[in-house]
Amino acid sequence: MSLELANIYLDHAEKAQDPDIALVLCHDAEVSLFQAKRAAKHGDDLAVRQGIATAYIELGRALELRGHRNEAQAIFKKAAIGEHGQASQSFDTKSITPSTKSSVDTPPAKDQPSPLKKNIATNDIATIPAHIFAENAHPPTVAVKLPEPDERLINTPQLACCLALLKDSQQLEEILEPSARSWLQVTENDKDEHERLKVLAVDVIRTYKKEDIKDAKAVAEVVSLAPVLERDIFRDLLRSFYADIDHSGLLDIHQLQGLAQLVQGADTGYLDSDDLVKILGLLTVRLRETHQQSSQNIYQLTLAASYVLDAMADTKVEGLDRETLHEPLSAYLDALKGNSEPYLVYQAAYACQALLCVPDNESLWQATIRRTGKVIRGVSGLVSAVKGLDLNGFIDGLKDIQQGIAGASQVAHLVVTAFDGVTSMTEGGQGFLDGVKEGLSFKRKCAWYSALRGADTLIRDGEFASFKKLVCEAPCRLDPAFQWGVCQRPGEVASNPNWDLRTRRSATAFLGEMYRNEGAWGHQATIKEWIVIILMRLSSSAGSVQQYIQTTLQELEASIDAQEIISFQARQGKSRDTYPLKLDLPPLASPSLLDRVQNKPDVEGTLRQLRKQRLKEQGINVYIQPQAKASLKALDDEGFPLMEKIHQFLDSNQKVFLLLGDSGSGKSTFHLQLECQLWNDYKKNTGRIPLHISLPAIDKPEQDMIAKQLRKSEFTESEIRELKVHRKFILICDGYDESQQTRNLYTSNRLNQPGEWNAQMIISCRSEYIGVDYRDRFQPGDRNSRSDPAQFQEAVITPFTPDQVQDYIKQYVLIHQPLWEAKQYVQTLDLIPSLKELVRNPFLMTLSLEVLPRMVDPGEHLSATQVTRVALYDKFIEHWLERGKKRLSEKELSSQAKAAFESLVDEGFTQNGVDFLKKMAVAIYKEQGGQPVVKYSRFKDEETWKAEFFSRDEEKQLLREAIPLTRSGNQHRFIHRSLLEYGLTLAIFDPQDWKERPPPGTVSGRRGSTSSAFSFNIDTATEEEVTPIEQVPDINSPLAWRYFINEPSVLQFLCERVHQEPIFKKQLLDYIEYSKMDEKWRKAAANAITILVRAGVQFNGEDLRGIRIPGADLSNGMFDSTQFQEADLRMVTFRGARLQQADLSGSQMAAVQFGELPFIKEDVEVESCAYSPDGNSLGIALKNGDIKIYSTLDWKQTKTLTGHSERIRWIAFSPNGKRLVSGSWDLTVRLWDVESASCIHTLTGHDEGVFGVAYSPRGDSIASASYDKIVRVWNEGTGECRLILIGHTGPVLSVAFSPNGSQIASGGGDGTVRLWDVETGVCLHTLNGHVVDVETGTCCRVMGGHNGNIYTLSFSLQGDVIASAGSDNTVRLWDSETGTCREVLSGHSESVWCVVFSPNGDHVASASGGSTVRLWDARSGGTVARQIPVGHSGNISSVKYSPQGDQVASSSHDGTIRLWDVETGVCRRTLAGHTGWVGSIAFSPRGEMIVSASYDRTVKLWDVETGTCRKTLTGHDDEVLTVTYSPRGDQLVSGDRNGVVRTWDVETGECRHIMIGHSEWVTSILYSSKGNQIASSSEYGNTILLRDADSGACLHTLSGHDEGVRGIVYSPQGDVLASASDDKTVRLWDATTGECRYTLIGHSEWVMVIVYSPQGDQVASGDYGGSVRLWNAGTGECCHTFTGHTGMITGVIYSPKGDKIVTGSWDMTIRLWDVVSGQCQATIQTIDSPITSMAWDMAPDGYCFITGCQDGPVHMWRVVEHKGMSSIRPRWRPMKGGLIVKGASIQGVRGLSQLNEQLLKQRGAVGEPFVRLREASKKVMKMASVVSTLKKPSSKAVQDPSPSGDPSTDQSQQDKQEIDS
């Protein structure tokens, strides 16, 4: 056969026109001759041997003719060796080269090109670029979770996987992954579970058989089970398929494909000959019956038949009748070769080849495929390795077929067809068709079929590198049928999204390479067309590789010549379905057969509807990806992308994510976006289900909220049960605060408990509504048994950044297309600084963008405009109602509705809309406690309050449409919670209800009001335009029937009203006043004073005697010298309040909250302290070696433990609290019995002092750390030393056990922390960070903040807070998750050596060297009450009143200027821009500008209204020390440290004059009252210079002082100049002549301050020694000498009338003096730092003055005259934090607890509380722990959020009588 094949090759070689093709044919002839020669060696047939020699000669001649002489000589030599007589005549053997000799009896090597293939790359081996299929890929697998015993199965593949593992356990055990191996072992031993799985499979088959219509999904489901069924069940299923196909009228393609896969996947012994005979017979019949159908149908039938025949070819079948079975089917298939569709001809040829292989014995290639092992589909993901195909053996088998089975003439013809057949693309597919018709017999086996079967095996296993090798080396690779099949397979890989992207791209590139490389693959036009069609089809359906495929097509078109382009484009235009790709069976149905067997409802269908509905509801909205920070205390610039953090949470094992943010910060919008994203990513059957729950819309969400939400979404009860048991959820819970919850929804819903819902929870809450202990409401677990803190995470949405604001505006304009363009919005925001800050809140941004185009014109001067939150809401509601009115006017209304609308318009539509909104808001709060969702059912609620707003009355319907209300079914709510709160605040105070109508001609806004007066203040409104209506407070106001203490948003609206509307402030003050007379006003009064304090109103010195304000929140309030006698202050919160000198005598103070605890004072230094595990005791270790035990119930000492001879450095309680261990400098560790106060063991062994001790969690071991660098571990029972841990290179200062007791951590003076194994004593890690991962030893967080050494650290029990203390005298509380500092606790006067948490985490105890133990409320840092800013962070250098007297300016060494509101003390502006100290400031004469001089060598001009810097004046070469305005305001003068004075033009900023004369430091500079003269002096020079203000010329040099001049001042008339000097004198100079009029002698110290009286008749001077002298300006005589100050005088100021003087000193006191008598009338000794600057309000009736202090605060005081006596009372002062009660009287106070009494007395309060209440207070203590007495009201919010409801009504009558007694 080989000789015959060689001759055919030679014959075609001689005829070949192409020399390259001729060489290929010659090489193939050489290979065939070698095989023939090898076969002839074993035979005696001489004719055969002569034939071989003759063929060699012919081959040599052919090569000679082609010019390959050397190759020809080698061939002739082979002929000679073959003993052919003509050999010697034909060639000269001497010409044979050595290399040729070596190849005489050797065939051409596979890995080296033959000498005959110079111009052809290869013939037997083609090449594919290395980057294509460079490596194998993991076969696509479906992740299968192996079920627990009796667990519901998710789907049928999961069942098939389980049964496959059980069926082939012995074969698979060694290659299974550990988890699968473990499951297999457990399940094999559980017979019941094994049987359950088998029964489920049987039930699925039975259910399938009962189906009337067996669709593709049902077929796919049972086919997936078929390989793992028992033999009988499998055969039963096979018969079912057979019968269904046999009896069906129309052929069911799905069942036919299913039948093929059943046969293909059948296990050994499952099929017998009868089965296959019947199947073949059935196929033959059905194929004949469908002969007349379309090519597409015939193709599908032929394809299915091919699957069956493939399976039969792989199955050993004996005794098949060729005539009965083969011939009819073969004849049919043979007839298809005449079809005009190439793909159908190919499939028919493929089926014929499969049919030819059915009855044969197993060949090499079949055995090779079989040895790869039966693939257990679905199990491949659980095995570690699968044996692959033996590729080399397989290729050898193919060569046997190619050379020994196929007809030689046929193979040669195929080669010719490939290279010399159809070369023109325009000939269609005739090359392939002709090859089939003329030479490709359907009745002879070909190697290409076997090669394609092997290729299928390799692709199935992901062995693409082997696939490439097989295709390139297959001897049949030029066969067009083989190429057709090869093209189809990469096409199917590229279309399958389950393969990885790299593999799919390689498949695409493989097709492109076959198209391009004609040298390797031939010129088959049909194959090229097939490639193009495959790529075209993929280009529109291949998903992620679509673009890559389109690029490949473009590259192919660019690479071909012009002649082929037309044909290429013609192929692209063909139908993409003309050449179909093989498709897999469809996915499983929902519900599947298995679901039905398990009685599983069709939840996927309902979920699909929910998903569709929720995505549709999203719509197109403006959305900016929010940033968030880790905690409330973290800085805004420490943000991270919130969405990324949420996805990290979802990928973790954490359970609850708390999302905090201000009202309107975008929490709800983010939730909706997250839900949309999760629904888009949802995976059917196995994916976690995103469920958005609006908590206010759920009735009692603390119970079964998931089921309630699902019922709202129309899930059936059976579906809900199914989801509860078998699915996982992602809960997106929105509006925790709006639902007015106090319960922990995670724990109350029992999430993730056995038998309960499986879910992760993302829950949002407004940050202003949470208390300080808010985590208890969200963390998994309860407060006392908290689960792993790692299960909880939180984040706080940060305000928009400027870039986010810009992006929001762009999106808004694009989506909503408003009147303005984006640039107009940006321009306006830049011009209104206050609005620019507000729009960082997303909801306020939306309101602003809505109303701005109707309020202002872009470009107009808006810099002075003040915009507040409430002003935005005013305008927004007005705009919304106007828009609603317009919409209704354009709408087709019924006659009744139209009449109602016209009536509303006549009455004032906007006014009616606002009134309707206010009434609805009030009703919602009154009837539903503020729960925002109103459910209205007409028949159920028509007699209730709801009907007033939601009935079908025409007017009500119209108003509902007009206000910002939304409806979902029967649920109504405002579009944002804050609009409900705004409506309520309008009901409390609406400016329009308190104003008369403006006069005619006034431009009106909302409801006819002057818009500017009450909202944006953009248009100027005079006082005459609106007149206040005098009205008394309303007892029906919401303030009178509900507490709003815990409604921050409501309070914020009302606080802004206080700032805008003086009449509202007066109304609130009236409520407080009314409460003195009638207790019915007490709620209103409590609300009123809470609002006023929150608004910054200070009550210093006010008469509040007898007020009733139970439950009020006065946190951070200012009540210095306030009279509270006989007031009802029960449950009032005074956290951080100033009550200095306040009179609380006789007041009721039961359950009052100060937020602090008293400290414990010892006689000797405190070294350490520790809480007992139950929190009932606190142990304190002292320097004298004693240990004292205190009860935490009453803080009384109960025990004293004595025995140590030196100071005790550390103590620790045992886990049961019965014992205590102590470590001392006396080198011992002592173990104590707490009850008996006796020493049990004294442990010795350390060589130096013991610094740290710790108990193990089990209480059986004690660890001690010593200065000797050693840690010792002791047996607690015996006292024996069990381990000695050596490793530290410095003293060991602390030691602790891990929570599980397996490790010991020790901290040393060497700067390291070491972790030790408790059992072995081995050092596991050496750490150098702060917060460290114990497992890895890596540093997680570094927390910096202490200004010195850190001596001690302590974790709270929950692990969420770390307390640290050190040498800076502070205790800091840190968030352990984020590393941010929550609170700095100041109060210790010395280093803090010890800090510990109480067991419940409520308290922190700290001990310092100052002999005190301080007790702190660990939660007090979270107060939401408003705190007046402290002010400057550096010394105040100057304070000045504005000319109008409405604000005060202060400058500081912190580089800023602050502008303070005189009325409230609120800092209006902070002017920041200087980079050095600001030493001097001055207002312009009109007050619109302020100038500052700084050590940064600049002078800056600031706009007072906007706070913007208008000009920066540069030119000074040194620090600028002083600056002032000229009286006309057109000029400035400044002096610097070099002694240079400069004058400046205010308008241009140019320097007019540079004046030199002082040697250094110009410290005083001023204009004369007329502005014509400038005077300057130097602290280091003894002269004063007078200059002409216009020319700068020096007029006079005033000499006389012997030392530096400290200050100068002009007389009010400007004719006299006074100077104060270090020479202890004051001089009065004539400003005109420069002569000295008087030298005033009397001071004994440097004169520091000089000032004229307002009338100019007196001069006052103050000196360094603390004395002040008054001088007669006309005579120079001393009138009075004021003494009393003990420090340097820093300020002397006259009252506007000149009758009073106030002096300030470095001794931290202020004194008020009477000018006439010289007597001191009042002294203020409550200042915390030296006075640095002073100024008096110079209004004629001014009674207020301001002071600036060294440590930064600015204070305002007022002089009060009462019965001829004068006093100084604080008007306002900034808070510095912490309770201040020094001098406060608590005489006769009722209800004050012992703890609070002790606290107040420690802080300086005086007097004794009412003794008769001692027993009542004890009863209160027994009823509530210290925690509850300190807990903030917000943590107990109820429907009426008073601290305990109404204090007067919620108590029992007995308690009320006790308190009132």
Side-chain angles (χ1 to χ4, degrees), residues 1566 1608-1619 1626-1631 1637-1638 1640 1649-1661 1669-1676 1692-1698 1700-1701 1738:
L1566 62 155
I1608 55 176
V1609 61
Y1610 273 104
S1611 65
Q1613 296 78 19
D1615 57 338
V1616 179
L1617 181 75
S1619 61
V1626 174
R1627 289 178 178 263
L1628 304 182
W1629 311 82
D1630 188 298
R1637 290 186 178 183
Y1638 301 104
L1640 311 181
V1649 180
I1650 185 77
V1651 64
Y1652 259 101
S1653 66
Q1655 294 77 19
D1657 57 341
Q1658 280 185 350
V1659 173
S1661 58
R1669 289 177 177 264
L1670 265 61
W1671 311 86
N1672 185 303
T1675 65
V1692 178
I1693 51 176
Y1694 273 94
S1695 66
K1697 295 180 181 179
K1700 306 288 184 186
I1701 283 180
M1738 297 309 293

Side-chain angles (χ1 to χ4, degrees), residues 332-385:
Y332 173 78
L333 295 174
D334 189 59
L336 291 178
K337 71 179 183 180
N339 196 285
S340 60
E341 295 291 353
Y343 66 88
L344 184 54
V345 176
Y346 159 76
Q347 200 59 50
Y350 183 93
C352 278
Q353 288 297 312
L355 184 58
L356 291 172
C357 292
V358 168
D360 285 358
N361 293 330
E362 186 170 70
S363 62
L364 173 61
W365 67 268
Q366 288 171 303
T368 303
I369 291 177
R370 185 176 297 281
R371 283 196 296 271
T372 63
K374 179 180 65 178
V375 174
I376 305 172
R377 299 182 186 276
V379 183
S380 56
L382 302 175
V383 298
S384 56

Side-chain angles (χ1 to χ4, degrees), residues 244-255:
D244 289 338
I245 295 171
D246 189 27
H247 297 141
S248 62
L250 295 175
L251 183 63
D252 190 327
I253 300 297
H254 306 305
Q255 285 194 318

Side-chain angles (χ1 to χ4, degrees), residues 444 513 555 573 705 781 820 891 895 1121 1333 1550 1607 1755 1763:
R444 183 174 297 159
E513 179 63 22
E555 291 174 352
M705 66 176 175
W820 281 6
K891 183 179 179 181
S895 57
S1121 303
D1333 187 300
E1550 295 179 355
H1755 301 73
K1763 296 181 180 180

Side-chain angles (χ1 to χ4, degrees), residues 916-930:
F916 186 75
L917 181 147
K918 290 194 297 185
K919 290 178 181 178
M920 181 183 292
V922 168
I924 290 174
Y925 268 89
K926 199 165 192 176
E927 303 295 340
Q928 295 191 163

